[in-house]
Amino acid sequence: MAPGEISPAGYADALKRLHAGHASGRGPTPHFTDRAAEAEALVASRERSPALADADAGVLGDHVTAPEEL
């Protein structure tokens, strides 16, 4: 194996540890649709995201859409 390469067994072990870490997450995780709706609301509200430049808000607003609107 070349220097810096990971063996298949090493890669499998790393994936196993990654999945175990995700499974032991702390607390509930919001559903994707809830997170997308919150992001859409933040981008749309200049009061809630005053540091977001108008151009950036426009780009994000064009690309962040709550799933129920798709």
Side-chain angles (χ1 to χ4, degrees), residues 39-40 42-44 46 49 52-66:
E40 185 177 36
L42 281 171
V43 169
R46 301 310 291 149
S49 57
L52 188 60
D54 288 340
D56 294 335
V59 169
L60 289 171
D62 290 345
H63 292 86
V64 175
T65 303

Side-chain angles (χ1 to χ4, degrees), residues 12-64:
D13 183 57
L15 280 176
K16 180 180 172 183
R17 288 182 287 123
L18 175 68
H19 287 260
H22 284 201
S24 67
R26 298 179 185 163
T29 303
H31 192 272
F32 171 77
T33 55
D34 296 336
R35 292 171 53 193
E38 181 181 0
E40 185 177 36
L42 281 171
V43 169
S45 171
R46 301 310 291 149
E47 286 181 6
R48 293 179 64 192
S49 57
L52 188 60
D54 288 340
D56 294 335
V59 169
L60 289 171
D62 290 345
H63 292 86
V64 175

